[in-house]
Amino acid sequence: MLEIIVIVVVLLVGYLFYIASNQKVELYFHRSKETLAILNNCDTIYSKPEKVESNGATTSQARYKPPFFLFNTHMHVVWGAFVRKYIDLKYKRDLIRTEDGGTLSVDWFTWEDKDFDQNTPTVVILHGLTGGSYERYVQHLAQHAYEAYGWRTVVCNYRGCANTEVTTWRSYCAANTEDFRFSLSHIQKKIPNAPLFVAGFSLGSILCVKYLSETAREVDSGKKGNPFIAAASISNPMDLIKSTENLNLFWNRHIY
């Protein structure tokens, strides 16, 4: 009986991996020489010949092929949240009071062998739903930014996140960038000369892209726009309505 169960499990995992490893990749990108040079080094998501679809997506012969044990998105979450090494970076926290009495926190990662100056390039991170500066994906990005480039990283924690005190009835929202603007203004006042970059994860990526869109329209009306040299939107849900419906499914509602 045990052997049958093992065989069934192995076959099921193999089938799921087969499905996961044969997903067509659709890319949306500006077709510049610089972008293509990057994509040509990413054969898991891009390979020639390619075709531009009517919806603007570029499809190619590339097929997404994750490691066999990461055969679906649930396994991706487990791996990122629990298996990836926890590094526990140290940080200094600033608390910010908003106009309506809300409290935000901004965490600056610190390194024992480094005193950053005013001109150090700085990555601003927007975390995902219920997350914060303690998240492994946040800390690994911060560590890479420092070890690879010597850059500083700062995290904008939302209301009630990462042990930030809740001082109003209002919470945070993916569709409202007001709190992020407060945090960003605080960061700019502390390091006015530092080149800034922004990276948003999941819900944070929605905030990031919405902010960029808003400031692009503000430029059209004569305002200054955003201060970022470059931005990265990582694991963006894209469709908030469908994402909410998915989170309310029985499995997701009780597990996540």
Side-chain angles (χ1 to χ4, degrees):
M1 184 66 181
L2 179 59
E3 289 116 354
I4 295 176
I5 294 176
V6 171
I7 292 172
V8 170
V9 170
V10 170
L11 290 175
L12 178 60
V13 171
Y15 175 69
L16 292 172
F17 175 64
Y18 172 78
I19 295 174
S21 63
N22 281 274
Q23 295 180 4
K24 182 176 67 174
V25 177
E26 292 187 349
L27 301 175
Y28 297 81
F29 61 92
H30 176 61
R31 299 184 62 78
S32 66
K33 291 182 178 179
E34 292 80 6
T35 303
L36 289 171
I38 295 172
L39 288 175
N40 282 327
N41 291 318
C42 303
D43 57 4
T44 57
I45 61 172
Y46 178 79
S47 64
K48 296 179 180 180
E50 61 180 31
K51 177 184 177 182
V52 180
E53 307 290 347
S54 59
N55 64 357
T58 297
T59 60
S60 71
Q61 291 183 334
R63 291 293 183 267
Y64 177 58
K65 296 180 179 179
F68 73 92
F69 52 88
L70 299 178
F71 51 81
N72 67 18
T73 52
H74 297 293
M75 296 306 297
H76 296 174
V77 171
V78 170
W79 181 270
F82 302 108
V83 180
R84 180 186 292 172
K85 181 181 178 181
Y86 183 62
I87 51 181
D88 193 22
L89 299 181
K90 306 303 178 185
Y91 61 82
K92 293 181 179 179
R93 169 165 292 188
D94 295 342
L95 294 176
I96 307 168
R97 185 58 60 94
T98 63
E99 292 179 352
D100 68 337
T103 302
L104 311 172
S105 63
V106 172
D107 292 340
W108 305 79
F109 286 117
T110 60
W111 307 88
E112 293 181 356
D113 60 342
K114 180 69 173 181
D115 290 324
F116 298 110
D117 59 39
Q118 285 287 316
N119 299 314
T120 300
T122 301
V123 180
V124 179
I125 296 181
L126 297 171
H127 60 77
L129 182 67
T130 72
S133 56
Y134 61 88
E135 294 282 6
R136 301 186 192 204
Y137 62 84
V138 169
Q139 297 209 359
H140 275 269
L141 176 57
Q143 184 180 56
H144 177 73
Y146 174 69
E147 293 182 348
Y149 304 105
W151 291 2
R152 169 174 43 211
T153 304
V154 56
V155 183
C156 298
N157 297 307
Y158 318 139
R159 302 185 187 214
C161 291
N163 294 318
T164 303
E165 183 181 6
V166 177
T167 54
T168 62
W169 286 102
R170 173 183 168 185
S171 185
Y172 60 93
C173 173
N176 191 322
T177 63
E178 182 180 345
D179 283 353
F180 173 51
R181 290 172 182 262
F182 263 95
S183 297
L184 179 58
S185 176
H186 174 80
I187 292 169
Q188 288 181 282
K189 288 177 182 177
K190 294 198 70 170
I191 49 172
N193 300 320
L196 296 179
F197 302 81
V198 61
F201 291 88
S202 194
L203 180 143
S205 71
I206 302 175
L207 278 172
C208 172
V209 172
K210 191 170 191 297
Y211 170 76
L212 296 175
S213 175
E214 290 173 351
T215 51
R217 292 195 295 271
E218 291 170 2
V219 169
D220 293 336
S221 62
K223 294 184 179 180
K224 188 175 181 181
N226 77 77
F228 297 112
I229 294 175
S233 171
I234 305 166
S235 297
N236 193 314
M238 297 296 183
D239 190 325
L240 277 177
I241 295 176
K242 288 185 177 180
S243 296
T244 302
E245 292 173 349
N246 186 270
L247 284 172
N248 284 324
L249 294 175
F250 177 84
W251 172 265
N252 293 335
R253 187 171 68 250
H254 288 82
I255 296 297
Y256 297 110

